[in-house]
Amino acid sequence: MSPHHPDQVPGDDVDLSEIRGDGSPLKETAFDITACGSQNREEPVVTRRELWSYYLYYNGDNGVGPLGFSMTLFQSLANEAGYDPVRGPGFSCQADGASGQCVVPWAGGTKAVSSVVLIANGLSFAVMTLIFTTIGSAADYGTFGRWLLLVVTCICWAAQYASMSLTSPSRWGVAMALFMIGFISYGATLVFYAALFPRLARNTAHTRELLQRYNAGEITREEYELEESLEKNRISNISTTHSNIGYIATLCLNLTLLLPLKDNPKVNNYVLVLVNSYWVITGIWWFIFQQPRPGPPVPKGENYLTVGWKQIWIAIKQYRQLPNTFIYLFGFFLLADGLNTTGTLVAICQNDKFSFSFLQNTYLGLAQAITSTASTLVFWYIQRYWKISTKRMFVVTNVVTIMIPLWGMVGIWTQKFGFHNAWEFWAYNVLFGLFQAPYYAFSQTMMAELTPPGFDNMFFGLFGLSNRASSMIGPNVIQAIIDKSGDNWMGFPFLFALCAAASLVIWFFVDVEKGRREAGVWAENKRKVA
């Protein structure tokens, strides 16, 4: 049994040889709960109603609208407004005998539609970078984080409802703007939503009971850390499952419009409104039932627009004290860039293959959603039954992450496979569901494990920078390759190399257990200085 004081929580690195005669440690390494907000006793215990409202928010925030259909509608309108550069202006990209290439007017010249879609993604990620770095850390102070999620959610809802105006090819520029607004705000909701769950996990009745048992000497530090990690994984996996359930429910609802109104020119617009309304109905409850857990006041002389940059700069300067946290952030920066851009490129190929059909994308989405839901539960059961570490589960999912761009790369040299056939997109969506849904859950839990307690929004802002905003690099590189070669498949080699390199960094250079203890010590020292 490791020695500890009643007010300490796991994370103490107290060496028996460094204890004074009076029992106190020579080094100030004890991690005090009340000092760093790991589990503030004044914070309310999570209620069942609150936790379910948290899950329901993610049930609606499943990405079908802002991440999927909005991009399909934007790409479809741009494709209709463009022309085949081989045949010349006036020759439709969708006409019989078209070359397969399609360009639209751009900055005094022309640019491939696929490149324009990737540019929109890259610009969106750049704006996300600004958001996460400027106000991400500020959400740790006062009640700012509570209102921040509400504001970005309402912006996303408004952009989705505005899609009703996108009814002709001439409005492809407006479609691009609305896609970007919706995508940016959607990406922000994911980050600020994820930043809530470490605090929720620290305040569940189960975690409180575990802490009491640890302080009473009934369980060891290692046992406490394992059980707390499993509690974080429980909430993360259940919320991911709810997102997948919402994905299925939304796609099934779409069929109630897509099938009977398949010949209606505005059916895609109606579907976006329906998808968004589902999110409004399921998401509003979190803002009603969320209990107040305010952070400390903004430091004197600071404001919400400046404190974020200063906190991030302070955190970055402390990378030597948090090496595992920052190595993970760096590796995930590359991995997320590769995976997100791969998903966008496959979606572009998929839209071209199925002629931008919302109905076909709904069927493919259902295949992904059903397998995602099942795999998230199965992975969680396997982890819980055998008590497998988060990192090991994460590594398993990474293997498929690398294989996706590798498969697309083969399509450069042959038309037989490599995302050239309808069955391959079915296989892709099934495999993506089986392995990439758990990937998102475990990557989030990995970040929670390595985040200094009480600084959740600061480090989840950096995580958001890695997860979403990092992808301003990949789309811009890939769009340049496609614009020069005229071949979408030429982007896959770069993405394969990026995903492989990032995975190796995380596999061999991140020690989660050591990083968790480093984060605890860092948090307490930071609070002492403040």
Side-chain angles (χ1 to χ4, degrees), residues 133-212:
T133 51
T134 302
I135 60 177
S137 299
D140 284 321
Y141 296 95
T143 60
F144 185 67
R146 181 189 186 101
W147 297 107
L148 182 60
L149 180 60
L150 176 61
V151 169
V152 295
T153 299
C154 289
I155 291 173
C156 192
W157 288 346
Q160 295 297 288
Y161 281 132
S163 297
M164 271 303 300
S165 65
L166 306 176
T167 55
S168 68
S170 62
R171 296 181 181 176
W172 73 267
V174 179
M176 178 177 178
L178 288 177
F179 162 70
M180 290 176 61
I181 293 171
F183 187 37
I184 291 166
S185 52
Y186 166 71
T189 65
L190 293 182
V191 171
F192 297 128
Y193 171 87
L196 295 168
F197 104 88
R199 180 165 291 188
L200 290 177
R202 291 194 297 267
N203 285 284
T204 64
H206 179 61
T207 306
R208 292 285 184 89
E209 180 187 354
L210 286 172
L211 181 61
Q212 292 174 357

Side-chain angles (χ1 to χ4, degrees), residues 4 45 86 114 121 140 186 237 250 277 305 379 443 485 496 505:
H4 58 275
V45 176
V86 176
S114 296
N121 275 267
D140 284 321
Y186 166 71
N237 278 282
T250 302
S277 298
L305 293 179
F379 270 76
S443 66
S485 65
F496 168 69
V505 168

Side-chain angles (χ1 to χ4, degrees), residues 462-514:
L462 290 174
F463 182 63
L465 183 67
S466 298
N467 185 22
R468 294 286 173 184
S470 66
S471 298
M472 64 183 174
I473 300 172
N476 287 303
V477 172
I478 300 305
Q479 72 86 16
I481 294 172
I482 292 174
D483 214 41
K484 184 176 180 179
S485 65
D487 185 351
N488 291 344
W489 281 259
M490 293 302 294
F492 284 114
F494 172 79
L495 296 171
F496 168 69
L498 193 62
C499 290
S503 296
L504 291 174
V505 168
I506 295 173
W507 294 354
F508 295 106
F509 297 101
V510 176
D511 186 329
V512 176
E513 287 72 23
K514 184 177 179 182

Side-chain angles (χ1 to χ4, degrees), residues 205-374:
H206 179 61
T207 306
R208 292 285 184 89
E209 180 187 354
L210 286 172
L211 181 61
Q212 292 174 357
R213 292 179 61 196
Y214 173 78
N215 288 333
E218 297 176 8
I219 58 175
T220 65
R221 180 184 69 187
E222 290 74 17
E223 289 173 323
Y224 176 91
E225 290 178 347
L226 175 61
E227 291 298 327
E228 186 186 42
S229 175
L230 289 173
E231 182 72 354
K232 290 176 181 176
N233 273 290
R234 181 182 73 87
I235 293 177
S236 180
N237 278 282
I238 291 176
S239 64
T240 301
T241 300
H242 270 280
S243 179
N244 292 326
I245 292 172
Y247 199 69
I248 295 171
T250 302
L251 293 172
C252 289
L253 279 174
N254 293 347
L255 294 177
T256 65
L257 292 178
L258 289 170
L259 292 176
L261 300 178
K262 62 181 180 181
D263 296 324
N264 189 311
K266 294 184 180 180
V267 65
N268 293 342
N269 306 82
Y270 297 151
V271 166
L272 275 168
V273 170
L274 178 63
V275 166
N276 197 49
S277 298
Y278 178 86
W279 182 10
V280 172
I281 293 170
T282 58
I284 195 66
W285 303 107
W286 169 247
F287 302 108
I288 296 173
F289 295 128
Q290 178 186 10
Q291 296 188 86
R293 295 184 182 88
V298 176
K300 291 183 180 180
E302 302 292 346
N303 59 63
Y304 286 115
L305 293 179
T306 60
V307 70
W309 286 96
K310 291 186 177 181
Q311 288 287 358
I312 289 173
W313 176 242
I314 290 171
I316 291 175
K317 287 196 300 183
Q318 302 296 317
Y319 75 94
R320 290 187 178 179
Q321 297 179 33
L322 299 169
N324 288 283
T325 301
F326 280 93
I327 291 173
Y328 177 68
L329 285 169
F330 171 73
F332 198 74
F333 181 94
L334 300 178
L335 184 62
D337 192 6
L339 180 61
N340 291 337
T341 309
T342 297
T344 301
L345 187 54
V346 173
I348 289 172
C349 296
Q350 179 175 296
N351 285 332
D352 285 335
K353 181 67 179 178
F354 295 108
S355 302
F356 314 102
S357 169
F358 269 40
L359 181 59
Q360 188 62 49
N361 281 335
T362 295
Y363 291 143
L364 291 167
L366 279 171
Q368 182 183 131
I370 292 170
T371 52
S372 293
T373 305

Side-chain angles (χ1 to χ4, degrees), residues 396-440:
V396 172
T397 67
N398 281 169
V399 175
V400 176
T401 302
I402 298 171
M403 296 302 294
I404 293 172
L406 177 62
W407 185 267
M409 188 170 70
V410 176
I412 297 173
W413 301 289
T414 178
Q415 294 289 315
K416 293 182 178 180
F417 50 88
F419 296 123
H420 290 293
N421 307 288
W423 67 265
E424 291 177 286
F425 292 104
W426 282 100
Y428 161 76
N429 279 278
V430 169
L431 285 173
F432 192 94
L434 288 174
F435 291 94
Q436 296 311 291
Y439 155 88
Y440 288 114

